[in-house]
Amino acid sequence: MFHIKPTRLAALLLVPMAPMFLLGMATPPSQAEEEAPPADNAVLMMDDLRDVSADLELLQERQIPMLLFFHATYCSYCQTVDEEFLQTMAEDEAYHDRLIIRRVEIDSPSPEIQWQGVSYTPVEFARLQGVQLVPQVMFFGPNGKQVVDELKGVTVPDFYPQYLEQRLEAAERCIDDPTLEVCTDGIDQPRRDLATEESPTT
């Protein structure tokens, strides 16, 4: 049996890797900066709902609506909405100053959602919002009130992006003028309000 002394083995292993070490040391500062992870306090356009109050503060600061997406892992239509439509919006710079997207996965125990000083599991929060069907999309204004009617299920996938865009445009108009009929017409009652403790229950 052929034995290699530890010191010789280390040398044999390191020699082929030397160029990689040198390349790493020669990385231009600009490239190193580009690969740096985002700051911990960076606000993601699309994320799981965690802290309702923090998101409402962001909406008020930027005067934009929130798209709240209720989904489940067992729901294939939910996966379609998430991957083909919402993630596409999140990756499109044209939407970055228009809204934030928050997701609630109702069959997951995490993350806990902080709302009105209480922690809720996703399914508890969904029940408090009267959600009985997924996928379901709602829009909320900076004041925490729901605007425009809910988008429930996926009836015609080809038109789904248009339905989202129509509701987003209506939600934006409702920020400027909450008295418009589109801001309340067709919404499930009682109207949801993330800024108060009054909310529909199942």
Side-chain angles (χ1 to χ4, degrees), residues 153-173:
V154 182
T155 52
V156 186
D158 289 345
F159 292 118
Y160 200 90
Q162 296 177 32
Y163 299 151
L164 286 174
E165 180 63 27
Q166 289 171 356
R167 282 167 172 78
L168 173 56
E169 290 177 356
E172 291 173 322
R173 293 198 306 273

Side-chain angles (χ1 to χ4, degrees), residues 123-183:
V123 69
E124 289 172 339
F125 182 81
R127 285 173 181 160
L128 288 172
Q129 301 309 317
V131 174
Q132 300 179 343
L133 171 72
V134 291
Q136 186 166 163
V137 169
M138 303 176 193
F139 283 89
F140 292 85
N143 61 359
K145 295 184 183 299
Q146 182 185 358
V147 291
V148 307
D149 60 320
E150 306 84 4
L151 186 52
K152 299 178 181 179
V154 182
T155 52
V156 186
D158 289 345
F159 292 118
Y160 200 90
Q162 296 177 32
Y163 299 151
L164 286 174
E165 180 63 27
Q166 289 171 356
R167 282 167 172 78
L168 173 56
E169 290 177 356
E172 291 173 322
R173 293 198 306 273
C174 292
I175 293 174
D176 295 329
D177 185 358
T179 65
L180 294 173
E181 185 176 351
V182 71
C183 305

